[in-house]
Amino acid sequence: MRKLGAGVFVLVLMVAAAYGFYWYQVKSQADDLVQQMSPFAQVRYGSVYAHPDGTVGVDGLTITPHQMHAPVSIEAVRIQAGSPLFFLFGSDTPPERLNISLKQVRQGLDSELFRTVQQQSDLMLESNPLYVSPNALGCGSVRQFDINTMKRMGFSEMLMDINMDYRGDSRARKIHFDLFVDIHDLGETRMEMALSADPNQLRNPMIASGNARLETLSFNYADRGYNQRRDRFCAAEAGIKPAEYRQQHRHLFVQWLNASGVELPDSLLAAYFDLQQPDADMAFSLRPVGGVGAAEVMMQDPMTLLQSLNLQFSINDKPLVLDGIDWSELMTGLAMAGNPGRTDSVSAAEPEEGMVAAASEAEAEASAGSEASQVAESVAAAEQRVRAQPVSKRYQPTPLAELPAYLGAPVRIFTYFGNDVEGQLVHADGQGIRVMQRLKQGVAEYPLDNDRIQQAEVWR
């Protein structure tokens, strides 16, 4: 009996010692990782997690990249490589299975990362002051859904859960990658990918990417609150109800397509509007027969490659028929689509018609104040001048100092960003100008500082 008790005691000690060594190895690897990242970021964690089933990780992780004001915080990190032996002794070959789970990843929208993204958006809007993103049409004064708009919608941070899973089969020469991202109160995405490749080649990414062939790729997205919040926000911005906003957006979006000369198939147009509905979901998959490798992607014609991918697409569980769509022409049309903030009614050939429309819009706004009345009178006067001499008038370069003499006249402004602005001149002084533009959704005025103007042309 004493020998049995002693044996049990020794066994417990051995298990405790093995677990202690296991925990120490996990902590050492975590500390090594912190040290390796120190030139790029400050990394801290609260405690180490080491489960006997081979799951390891840390709790209370914070990562603060240098030059950034807000850290990325992660409540729990879990890594499972199939066996504790992988972390005890390490290995030169990738494990047969690796799962990485990140719980409650937080990143504030005031961080330097998102500030940089917003700065890029601001520069784009500044370079083209008439730009309105097609998906923002009907959303009051909102020109695009950028970081600042997200804040106005009530988002203060990105809070998400991320799960990544890898499975490799050396005998079958198969690799599977799965990725799941759940952004709280916004949406969730799932991607699954299967490749024919030798998992052992992952030690050399160049060889692996050159030999691998994509067999399947699927992507799923589901709305988890963003669409409903966007509808409420835009409805409030436009002073209407959410259902009315959706109808108005539909009307303006179709107008933008027509004005841009884009013939979007009815099936794709219906799919776009279906995807804007609350709780919408989308499924997309590629299953090329025999797989597709890097060589085909590089050498095949894009349209031929697209046809060989066996593309499947559905919105809200409704399959989308893609046969018969000229993707080349459609992509070219969308890339060349006109700016929704521009109007085709004002042109060098027929400025009178554009001015009449702009004058009527200005008169509709005249009750808002005396300045609007003066603008309408200036536009009417300019219209009379153009009608008096329709043959000799054309857009002519005009010094900025002379622009106050042409209030109400059609102008074309070229900025240092390379974009031209067309409309009616409603204000000009030594500091800058304001150009009135008739948009699809009404009339808007856009200010331009003189130091940003490369050349001004007046129809005279």
Side-chain angles (χ1 to χ4, degrees), residues 326-337:
D326 189 338
W327 291 104
S328 179
E329 181 178 351
L330 179 59
M331 292 299 103
T332 301
L334 290 174
M336 299 294 291

Side-chain angles (χ1 to χ4, degrees), residues 145-163:
F145 292 117
D146 51 19
I147 301 301
N148 285 340
T149 304
M150 293 285 289
K151 292 180 182 178
R152 293 175 59 192
M153 291 171 63
F155 292 98
S156 60
E157 64 178 6
M158 286 293 174
L159 176 61
M160 65 188 79
D161 295 328
I162 303 174
N163 189 82

Side-chain angles (χ1 to χ4, degrees), residues 400-404 427-433 448-451 453:
L400 298 182
E402 298 180 10
L403 290 181
H427 175 80
D429 57 26
Q431 302 297 321
I433 66 173
L448 291 168
D449 295 336
N450 283 346
D451 58 3
I453 298 175

Side-chain angles (χ1 to χ4, degrees), residues 215-286:
E215 293 188 343
T216 62
L217 173 65
S218 64
F219 177 86
N220 295 270
Y221 169 80
D223 173 62
R224 292 295 180 261
Y226 174 78
N227 286 354
Q228 185 178 51
R229 185 176 296 200
R230 178 208 58 214
D231 290 353
R232 291 176 177 176
F233 169 77
C234 288
E237 287 290 304
I240 54 180
K241 296 180 180 179
E244 295 172 336
Y245 155 71
R246 288 193 292 269
Q247 188 64 29
Q248 179 170 290
H249 174 72
R250 175 189 293 265
H251 176 70
L252 293 174
F253 188 82
V254 172
Q255 276 192 342
W256 172 77
L257 289 173
N258 293 335
S260 302
V262 178
E263 296 184 4
L264 194 66
D266 292 340
S267 58
L268 292 183
L269 187 61
Y272 169 78
F273 292 128
D274 287 343
L275 195 58
Q276 307 306 307
Q277 298 296 322
D279 300 322
D281 62 76
M282 176 187 71
F284 165 88
S285 67
L286 301 175

Side-chain angles (χ1 to χ4, degrees), residues 11 16 95 100 106 109 144 163 171 175 214 229 251 287 330 338 369 390 392 432 437 442 455:
L11 181 61
I100 302 176
R106 295 178 183 270
L109 294 185
Q144 66 177 5
N163 189 82
R171 294 182 178 178
I175 296 176
L214 176 67
R229 185 176 296 200
H251 176 70
R287 289 180 171 81
L330 179 59
S392 61
Q437 177 69 54
Q455 180 176 313

Side-chain angles (χ1 to χ4, degrees), residues 29 81 83-96 200 203:
Q29 292 186 27
S83 170
L85 299 179
F86 183 83
F87 297 103
L88 282 173
F89 306 107
S91 176
D92 293 333
T93 60
E96 292 185 359
N200 294 320
R203 288 175 292 180

Side-chain angles (χ1 to χ4, degrees), residues 75-149:
E75 183 178 290
V77 178
R78 296 292 182 265
I79 303 174
Q80 186 175 32
S83 170
L85 299 179
F86 183 83
F87 297 103
L88 282 173
F89 306 107
S91 176
D92 293 333
T93 60
E96 292 185 359
R97 181 161 188 171
L98 178 65
N99 181 270
I100 302 176
S101 175
L102 309 178
K103 298 293 185 182
Q104 300 286 293
V105 181
R106 295 178 183 270
Q107 174 68 83
L109 294 185
D110 289 326
S111 70
E112 189 67 23
L113 171 64
F114 288 114
R115 272 202 292 268
T116 301
V117 174
Q118 182 60 48
Q119 287 173 359
Q120 296 300 317
S121 298
D122 292 340
L123 288 175
M124 190 274 291
L125 293 180
E126 186 178 12
S127 68
N128 192 346
L130 300 184
Y131 176 77
V132 179
S133 177
N135 66 344
L137 290 171
C139 191
S141 61
V142 174
R143 297 170 60 189
Q144 66 177 5
F145 292 117
D146 51 19
I147 301 301
N148 285 340
T149 304

